[in-house]
Amino acid sequence: MGIGATAGVAAVGGIALTAQASDDTSSNSSDSLAFDPDGYTELTTTITDADGTDHSVTYHFWKAITYVAKPVDATYQSLNVSVPVEIDGTAVDATNAPIVFANSVGGYMPSTVAEATGVGGGEMTGAPTGGTSASASPSASASSSTGTGEVQSGGNAMVNGMGAMVNLGKLGLAAGYVVVEPGARGRTLKNSAGEYYGVAPAAIVDLKAAVRYVRANKGRIPGNTDRIFSTGTSAGGALSSLLGASGDSPIYDKYLKELGAADASDAIFATGAWCPITDLEHADGAYEWNWGTNVTASTSKVVDQTVSKELQSQFAEYQASLKLRGLNGFGPLNARNYDEYLVKQYLEPSATTYLAALSDADRATYLAANTFITWSGGKATFSWADFLTHVGARKKTTPAFDAFDLSAGENNEFGKGTTIARHFTAYSLKNDTTGVTSKRLDSDIPEMLRLMNPMYHLVEKANPNRSKHWWIRLGTKDSDTSLTVAANIAAAANGLGDDVSHLYYWDEGHGSNTDPGDFIKWIAKVAGTGKKRGK
């Protein structure tokens, strides 16, 4: 499966276009779902790899291909494809290269590739930019749902900072991989009738449809469609995790059929997830268990401890129900020992790696400023309580995700019809401050939660068609979510026998990616393609 130094143009451009056979003639036999191998533009760009080395990359670029036969809004339901044909003057045949499936979702907001002029051009938006849907109209912007939830950090912060994040699509292209960048609907999209058409489960359904499009076009679209590596950060990391966990799950079939998705598998080979904002119905309890005693950045005060403790109790009950075991033989994970597990499995190793990489002088300076760390024998040790003090203020108030006043981005994510935001936990519904009189969650909420939670597919269902390779990363100072969320995904996948690479970046915050070169090499390793460019 190696990427050879052969004539790439012939291998990429010389594939005959044939119609995709399907029993569903109303959606899947449409020529709109047949990839045109000759419909590219040839571009050349300079890409700097993770080691800081510049590479001249010539590639074929297919722009804004609608990946479903019956799109709700093709501005978002389209994807770009980039295929390298020459790197630093050497021809590349990417016919069987791994495919990097890089989403640009943040804050569960819409993402589009429609305006991209080349690889890495996907962007998160707060409102439609004039889609092809006849009903598209300006939606609620990010400011419609400020407050305590994802929009506050994973939303607005990512709008301002997304461009500064590591572009794994570009690094993948420079390594000789095929890059697919899918757009997806998001929670703020609203049509002329005032209906929110990008709320749950739209984003995951769209990404699944995009995977199906790629897999249905095996032999036409360049790259190995059996070696798809999904990537995403924040809510995009959550969706990447969900994409990996839920491969070919039948609970999405009716939604995919409505869109005219291709009749193909939506399972992916491997999952890359950075700071995933997920397991939302349990995220409030996990957040309080982790950060409940820290002051809040916006108020410099500790949150209501009665609420915090009630939510922590919910986390304890939930964590026990998962029956997960920690990595490296730690044993059962519960609310009583999770702090010890995080310290020993992730936090002390993370600090040790960070400190060991410093010069003697810089290490001494850091340790002098952070006396809670004991440095002995080339290893860092400290307590959980001291770690929390080191992190300092938490980012979110309480509840962090299902806000009592419906102000969180996640409340918007579970909106429906013309209703911008809804509660998705019984606890927050009970404590609602907006005047909601219902005593029960809306009847469709349990289904929406199953559709949006990777833990459902890893624990409750143990989906056999899930991704079997996992790359999960989180910053130790990321208080956009609980440190337990990523660790639970890793523990669940590991318990199923999957290949799991999971670590935390010391002193890094939300959206961090400090080892992108290692991820690129990991792709080559698990895909079986050998050593590649893009260190």
Side-chain angles (χ1 to χ4, degrees):
M1 300 181 187
I3 302 173
T6 58
V9 174
V12 175
I15 303 172
L17 176 63
T18 57
Q20 173 69 19
S22 171
D23 293 334
D24 186 358
T25 56
S26 66
S27 63
N28 296 325
S29 63
S30 169
D31 288 343
S32 67
L33 296 185
F35 180 80
D36 178 5
D38 299 316
Y40 61 82
T41 301
E42 186 166 295
L43 302 173
T44 299
T45 189
T46 299
I47 297 175
T48 304
D49 69 20
D51 288 339
T53 303
D54 288 342
H55 299 282
S56 176
V57 181
T58 298
Y59 64 104
H60 292 171
F61 179 66
W62 287 259
K63 179 176 179 177
I65 302 168
T66 303
Y67 52 70
V68 289
K70 296 180 284 187
V72 176
D73 191 336
T75 298
Y76 302 95
Q77 294 171 301
S78 60
L79 57 80
N80 291 348
V81 178
S82 299
V83 179
V85 295
E86 187 177 280
I87 300 176
D88 295 333
T90 300
V92 172
D93 178 6
T95 303
N96 291 309
I99 296 173
V100 177
F101 188 84
N103 82 67
S104 57
V105 175
Y108 289 99
M109 305 281 271
S111 65
T112 179
V113 297
E115 301 301 319
T117 57
V119 67
E123 61 178 349
M124 184 185 71
T125 65
T129 54
T132 58
S133 170
S135 62
S137 67
S139 77
S141 68
S143 61
S144 298
S145 294
T146 56
T148 63
E150 168 68 9
V151 67
Q152 189 177 39
S153 51
N156 292 340
M158 291 184 70
V159 169
N160 296 328
M162 180 70 80
M165 292 184 181
V166 175
N167 193 302
L168 292 169
K170 287 185 175 180
L171 291 185
L173 190 70
Y177 306 146
V178 172
V179 178
V180 173
E181 297 171 286
R185 289 168 294 164
R187 61 182 174 79
T188 57
L189 296 177
K190 185 170 68 173
N191 64 23
S192 58
E195 299 165 325
Y196 289 87
Y197 62 90
V199 294
I204 186 60
V205 172
D206 285 354
L207 292 183
K208 282 178 167 289
V211 171
R212 288 189 173 202
Y213 175 88
V214 172
R215 299 199 67 163
N217 281 284
K218 180 178 182 179
R220 291 191 289 265
I221 192 168
N224 186 343
T225 58
D226 293 324
R227 292 292 184 270
I228 296 175
F229 289 74
S230 176
T231 73
T233 300
S234 191
L239 292 169
S240 184
S241 301
L242 181 56
L243 194 64
S246 67
D248 292 336
S249 171
I251 69 174
Y252 301 90
D253 285 351
K254 66 179 180 180
Y255 301 97
L256 290 160
K257 186 175 182 180
E258 288 175 359
L259 296 175
D263 186 12
S265 171
D266 55 62
I268 61 171
F269 183 72
T271 298
W274 286 260
C275 53
I277 302 290
T278 192
D279 199 1
L280 298 177
E281 63 266 42
H282 306 108
D284 287 329
Y287 195 91
E288 293 311 312
W289 177 90
N290 197 151
W291 308 114
T293 59
N294 290 42
V295 300
T296 307
S298 61
T299 65
S300 298
K301 296 179 180 178
V302 175
V303 297
D304 185 323
Q305 288 298 291
T306 298
V307 171
S308 182
K309 286 181 170 55
E310 288 175 349
L311 289 170
Q312 289 178 49
S313 294
Q314 292 179 20
F315 170 76
E317 182 178 350
Y318 170 62
Q319 191 63 47
S321 74
L322 293 174
K323 296 181 170 58
L324 296 177
R325 302 182 72 86
L327 276 62
N328 297 321
F330 181 84
L333 290 175
N334 54 58
R336 295 183 302 278
N337 66 15
Y338 220 131
D339 53 353
E340 177 189 354
Y341 176 64
L342 288 172
V343 169
K344 297 303 180 185
Q345 175 65 29
Y346 297 113
L347 300 179
E348 288 180 344
S350 175
T352 296
T353 298
Y354 174 83
L355 288 165
L358 297 178
S359 67
D360 290 344
D362 287 344
R363 187 184 311 113
T365 299
Y366 186 90
L367 291 169
N370 296 277
T371 56
F372 74 97
I373 297 176
T374 298
W375 180 255
S376 177
K379 293 183 178 181
T381 57
F382 46 83
S383 70
W384 172 252
D386 284 341
F387 166 73
L388 292 180
T389 300
H390 172 66
V391 172
R394 55 187 267 174
K395 187 170 292 184
K396 300 179 179 181
T397 57
T398 193
F401 297 91
D402 188 355
F404 291 158
D405 63 359
L406 292 171
S407 64
E410 288 76 14
N411 293 123
N412 181 201
E413 172 65 6
F414 289 101
K416 183 180 181 181
T418 58
T419 301
I420 185 174
R422 295 189 295 169
H423 289 298
F424 51 92
T425 67
Y427 181 80
S428 287
L429 175 62
K430 177 182 177 181
N431 291 280
D432 173 79
T433 60
T434 69
V436 173
T437 57
S438 174
K439 301 299 182 182
R440 294 186 178 181
L441 294 171
D442 288 349
S443 60
D444 67 310
I445 288 294
E447 179 186 7
M448 292 303 106
L449 293 172
R450 288 191 294 272
L451 290 164
M452 296 304 296
N453 194 343
M455 295 300 289
Y456 171 77
H457 304 277
L458 293 174
V459 177
E460 188 168 335
K461 291 298 181 181
N463 177 26
N465 297 316
R466 68 189 181 277
S467 163
K468 303 302 194 300
H469 304 274
W470 299 81
W471 179 280
I472 307 170
R473 298 292 188 266
L474 185 71
T476 62
K477 283 192 171 183
D478 185 350
S479 64
D480 278 54
T481 187
S482 170
L483 300 183
T484 64
V485 172
N488 272 349
I489 295 174
N494 181 75
L496 293 172
D498 297 348
D499 163 39
V500 177
S501 174
H502 183 210
L503 59 79
Y504 290 40
Y505 304 130
W506 185 251
D507 276 359
E508 295 288 342
H510 195 62
S512 300
N513 183 354
T514 66
D515 58 351
D518 290 340
F519 176 70
I520 297 300
K521 288 187 281 189
W522 180 77
I523 290 177
K525 177 183 176 182
V526 301
T529 58
K531 186 177 180 180
K532 290 291 171 289
R533 294 174 177 267
K535 298 175 181 178

